[in-house]
Amino acid sequence: MERSPIKDTEIKFLLKEALTDKINDREVYMKGIDASYRYEGYNVYKTEDLKK
């Protein structure tokens, strides 16, 4: 991120590799929620433990 204003090819590569076309995949969506909560420091619950 720090170098992206100078040379954006690295960040573009990382972002492209992280993207998915599985936009209707519930598991991918829920993993994204889990990752977001982990980033914020919330580790009490996982979406896989929730009932569908």
Side-chain angles (χ1 to χ4, degrees):
M1 291 299 294
E2 291 176 359
R3 296 193 317 224
S4 62
I6 298 164
K7 187 174 183 182
D8 64 356
T9 55
E10 295 170 358
I11 192 78
K12 283 181 181 179
F13 175 79
L14 292 172
L15 289 172
K16 186 175 181 182
E17 291 297 308
L19 293 176
T20 181
D21 59 352
K22 299 178 182 178
I23 60 171
N24 294 319
D25 188 320
R26 184 181 192 279
E27 184 178 346
V28 171
Y29 180 79
M30 297 308 256
K31 283 182 180 181
I33 292 173
D34 284 338
S36 177
Y37 278 112
R38 266 194 317 277
Y39 177 78
E40 295 293 332
Y42 300 110
N43 299 333
V44 177
Y45 301 105
K46 291 184 180 178
T47 56
E48 66 186 30
D49 298 334
L50 300 174
K51 294 186 181 209
K52 294 180 183 181

